[in-house]
Amino acid sequence: MEHKKVSVLGVSFDNKTKETFLEELMDRVNHKQKSFVVTANPEIVMYAKKDSAYMSLMKEADYIIADGIGIIKGSEILGTPIVERVAGYDLMLALLEEANKQGSRVYLLGAQEEVLQNTVKTVRERYPSINLVGARNGYFDFSDASIIKSVQDTQPDMVFVALGYPKQEQWIQHYMTTASKGLLMGVGGSFDVLSGKSKRAPKFFIQLNMEWLYRLIKQPYRLKRMMALPHFLREVRNEKKQFSKK
């Protein structure tokens, strides 16, 4: 049975399968409802825990998705297990697939220009029925309201924002204050994978929930970032102890 929300260190995750997310999000797109989607891993949760502005921004999201096996482990430690990990990249591909079936209007925002152009090329090849209404790299002044207007003017049904946290969520929050419709989702480094710049872990690693290990082997400089995971699990255990005392 799926619970509506699972709180992990103050962040409320939606406890749904990928299929349920997809169904609900497409229903909202088709009814021209606004949807702010956050894909959160332990690193993002730890950042939100120490940054109150980012935490309150997260509370404005319509959906917070457990993107990272650490979140699943944390929910299990707390005794409120989340049904499955939903990788942001996989959900983005599933949404693009649906957009292709429906001829939806899609906008791509973020990444370096070369990566962005290769992402555009891939989307056009793989999803020829998508109406790709615009694309812009991630190098712009985030306080520039004209960027938001230029995206909104294309009337997109979906906007995938690859600016990395916390910038992508901050930008989406600003966008949502004046938008009339659209699904907006922060997708981090997903354009790097979609464009072919970075390789996703082989299925073997993904099935064993060890995608993080593959990334670490390929990109040893990520070690410092990876250290957020043991720190996160330690914090979760502390939270569990505090609940037990009450």
Side-chain angles (χ1 to χ4, degrees):
M1 184 180 161
E2 294 182 16
H3 302 276
K4 283 186 178 170
K5 299 275 184 183
V6 170
S7 179
V8 180
L9 301 183
V11 175
S12 291
F13 286 88
D14 289 274
N15 190 10
K16 304 173 193 288
T17 62
K18 189 178 98 175
E19 284 70 26
T20 305
F21 278 125
L22 189 60
E23 194 179 306
E24 289 187 17
L25 289 170
M26 288 311 299
D27 186 60
R28 289 172 71 96
V29 167
N30 293 332
H31 286 91
K32 302 200 183 310
Q33 281 180 276
K34 291 192 282 187
S35 303
F36 177 3
V37 183
V38 175
T39 58
N41 58 18
E43 210 179 338
I44 286 176
V45 172
M46 293 305 288
Y47 185 86
K49 196 170 184 294
K50 68 175 190 203
D51 189 304
S52 58
Y54 190 64
M55 181 66 90
S56 62
L57 182 160
M58 297 269 274
K59 292 186 192 316
E60 290 182 32
D62 296 292
Y63 291 88
I64 300 181
I65 290 166
D67 182 359
I69 192 60
I71 302 295
I72 305 301
K73 295 288 182 201
S75 71
E76 288 169 358
I77 290 167
L78 293 167
T80 49
I82 292 171
V83 283
E84 71 177 31
R85 176 203 170 201
V86 179
Y89 181 74
D90 291 338
L91 184 60
M92 180 183 78
L93 293 187
L95 286 165
L96 287 171
E97 194 69 53
E98 289 301 313
N100 189 55
K101 288 177 192 169
Q102 298 192 12
S104 306
R105 301 171 70 83
V106 173
Y107 197 106
L108 304 175
L109 181 76
Q112 297 168 336
E113 184 62 29
E114 187 185 355
V115 170
L116 178 68
Q117 289 311 319
N118 285 332
T119 304
V120 166
K121 186 170 176 282
T122 303
V123 168
R124 284 193 171 131
E125 285 169 1
R126 279 198 212 171
Y127 312 103
S129 296
I130 281 179
N131 186 357
L132 196 56
V133 292
R136 178 189 284 269
N137 67 40
Y139 295 84
F140 59 86
D141 181 353
F142 292 101
S143 62
D144 186 350
S146 71
I147 308 288
I148 287 174
K149 185 179 183 306
S150 69
V151 178
Q152 286 178 359
D153 284 349
T154 67
Q155 289 291 298
D157 299 306
M158 300 179 193
V159 184
F160 295 104
V161 187
L163 302 173
Y165 82 90
K167 286 179 179 174
Q168 59 195 20
E169 287 77 31
Q170 290 163 348
W171 189 87
I172 291 171
Q173 182 191 38
H174 290 310
Y175 184 98
M176 286 303 202
T177 57
T178 53
S180 58
K181 65 165 191 170
L183 180 157
L184 277 88
M185 176 170 151
V187 295
S190 292
F191 291 2
D192 286 351
V193 182
L194 193 53
S195 68
K197 184 189 174 191
S198 300
K199 277 189 99 167
R200 185 133 190 237
K203 274 191 175 170
F204 169 77
F205 282 89
I206 296 169
Q207 283 163 354
L208 288 178
N209 289 312
M210 294 184 75
E211 207 169 347
W212 61 271
L213 179 61
Y214 178 81
R215 283 187 197 157
L216 190 56
I217 293 164
K218 287 287 183 184
Q219 303 168 321
Y221 62 83
R222 291 176 68 97
L223 181 61
K224 192 178 174 188
R225 285 179 62 183
M226 293 284 182
M227 291 314 290
L229 181 57
H231 184 37
F232 164 80
L233 291 173
R234 194 161 59 243
E235 289 285 326
V236 169
R237 287 192 183 98
N238 288 341
E239 186 175 275
K240 173 74 171 172
K241 280 178 195 167
Q242 284 167 6
F243 279 144
S244 302
K245 285 176 186 172
K246 286 179 182 176

